[in-house]
Amino acid sequence: MATAPPLPQSLPEKRQPVLNTVDRVTELCFGLFMALTFVGAVKAVGAGDDAGRKLFFTALGCNLAWGLADAVMFIVRNLADRGQRLTLASAVKRDANRASAVQTLRDALPASLEPLVDDAELELIRARLAARTTLPPRARFIREDFVGALGVFLLVVVATFPVALPFLLIGDRTAALVISRVLTLLMLFVAGFALGRYTGGGALKTGFVMTLLGIALTVAIILLGG
């Protein structure tokens, strides 16, 4: 007598990262570009044994401040997005007219997705919202907001070190400047490579484009006297 096949076990829910690859790469590049602009002002740093130290801590202080500001804005942006989604859900739930509620959902779709979703699928979403007994009264902060904000802050601050650390470790400012710019371009290439692979836009191509962006910024800084 044949035995029944075992029931398939449900797979554990995959945990989504708080910061996706785009978030991580853009924040890292933001920190690199901020540090690069300060390193470009190396000629403005007075001569002396502590010139490299001043430059390093100036760049670090800048990225600490901008990292904090960016982290706060990350939390604000998440809360605003969550509030917008809650407002949409509440409006659909309250609307007794099915056609009107479906149209509200359709209006909220991104333009690229709107042609791919038909009214029957939107009606299923409307029905689920209508069946909900309650919705949260307001958008609230969640743990992931603060974890993500910490990640944003650290990415911006960490980007300071490969750009500005050579000035702290190497006495020859010309050599330190060359090493700093080479490290910056290498990091930009790696960041672009990761972004291109994640988005399907071509890892090598995106890496070179990001590197060219860094070169263009470096040339602009030099032309401006940096």
Side-chain angles (χ1 to χ4, degrees):
M1 180 176 177
T3 58
L7 293 175
Q9 295 181 347
S10 58
L11 295 174
E13 183 178 354
K14 186 177 180 182
R15 184 180 179 84
Q16 296 297 320
V18 177
L19 295 176
N20 62 31
T21 300
V22 176
D23 294 327
R24 291 194 293 268
V25 169
T26 53
E27 293 299 337
L28 181 65
C29 289
F30 172 78
L32 285 170
F33 287 135
M34 287 298 299
L36 185 60
T37 57
F38 270 86
V39 168
V42 64
K43 291 180 183 177
V45 178
D49 294 336
D50 64 342
R53 181 175 175 275
K54 287 179 181 177
L55 183 67
F56 173 80
F57 283 106
T58 299
L60 180 60
C62 166
N63 274 15
L64 282 170
W66 279 107
L68 180 60
D70 216 17
V72 170
M73 291 310 301
F74 175 85
I75 294 174
V76 171
R77 186 168 61 249
N78 278 5
L79 187 65
D81 289 344
R82 200 172 298 121
Q84 184 182 33
R85 292 194 296 270
L86 180 59
T87 299
L88 173 64
S90 299
V92 171
K93 178 176 171 57
R94 288 194 308 265
D95 197 337
N97 187 316
R98 292 187 178 185
S100 173
V102 166
Q103 186 59 46
T104 299
L105 288 171
R106 181 166 295 283
D107 292 341
L109 288 173
S112 58
L113 292 181
E114 196 273 338
L116 306 177
V117 182
D118 59 32
D119 286 351
E121 293 168 310
L122 294 175
E123 169 57 25
L124 290 175
I125 298 173
R126 185 211 64 80
R128 291 193 191 101
L129 286 172
R132 292 285 297 269
T133 54
T134 59
L135 289 173
R138 66 183 66 86
R140 299 181 184 276
F141 295 114
I142 59 176
R143 176 180 173 274
E144 282 74 13
D145 293 337
F146 301 101
V147 174
L150 177 62
V152 166
F153 175 77
L154 291 176
L155 282 168
V156 174
V157 173
V158 165
T160 309
F161 291 93
V163 183
L165 199 58
F167 295 93
L168 192 62
L169 301 177
I170 301 172
D172 186 339
R173 279 193 294 167
T174 302
L177 183 60
V178 171
I179 293 172
S180 169
R181 285 172 174 166
V182 169
L183 287 175
T184 302
L185 294 178
L186 284 174
M187 287 192 66
L188 286 171
F189 176 81
V190 172
F193 187 92
L195 185 62
R197 188 166 65 174
Y198 177 79
T199 60
L204 284 174
K205 181 176 72 174
T206 310
F208 283 119
V209 168
M210 196 70 77
T211 304
L212 289 174
L213 236 126
I215 293 173
L217 180 58
T218 301
V219 170
I221 291 169
I222 293 171
L223 291 176
L224 292 169

